[in-house]
Amino acid sequence: MTRPADRFPDDVVAYRRTPEFDATTTPAGLLSEHNTKAGVWGRIQVMEGALLYRVTDPRREASERLLTPEGRPGVVEPQIKHHVALTGPVRFYVEFLKAPD
């Protein structure tokens, strides 16, 4: 079993970004287990507060990391199950990346 990725491949570029979410506007889908499509990476960027990022996919070691504005963003691998958990007041967004066409 491998550890979850902690960095992005060199060839991926951002192509879309969610609006900023907070403790009251975070979509339920982000709080429950989900994944991205094949070839799509996600960058979870916390602007304020903290957010717990959990990788739950059986193909990776289970991991949990507290994301903060001062720390590295959360790295979401393509097709790997994960979710976030609110720990209090927070402001964050998710940016999606993929290799150029």
Side-chain angles (χ1 to χ4, degrees):
M1 190 172 311
T2 58
R3 296 176 62 146
D6 63 356
R7 65 182 68 124
F8 300 96
D10 293 335
D11 65 338
V12 298
V13 294
Y15 71 94
R16 187 167 63 94
R17 186 186 129 161
T18 67
E20 288 183 13
F21 300 120
D22 62 28
T24 61
T25 62
T26 300
L30 295 182
L31 300 172
S32 59
E33 192 173 79
H34 64 282
N35 60 5
T36 59
K37 295 178 184 176
V40 176
W41 292 74
R43 177 183 300 142
I44 305 169
Q45 188 66 56
V46 174
M47 316 285 287
E48 214 174 89
L51 186 68
L52 196 56
Y53 172 53
R54 293 181 176 132
V55 175
T56 55
D57 197 286
R59 296 169 288 174
R60 297 290 182 267
E61 286 180 17
S63 74
E64 181 175 283
R65 189 159 73 96
L66 190 65
L67 305 177
T68 65
E70 300 79 30
R72 294 187 340 260
V75 176
V76 178
E77 295 177 80
Q79 299 181 294
I80 296 296
K81 293 178 183 174
H82 64 281
H83 68 273
V84 297
L86 303 174
T87 61
V90 67
R91 230 172 24 100
F92 72 99
Y93 65 86
V94 181
E95 191 170 43
F96 298 98
L97 306 95
K98 65 180 179 177
D101 293 331

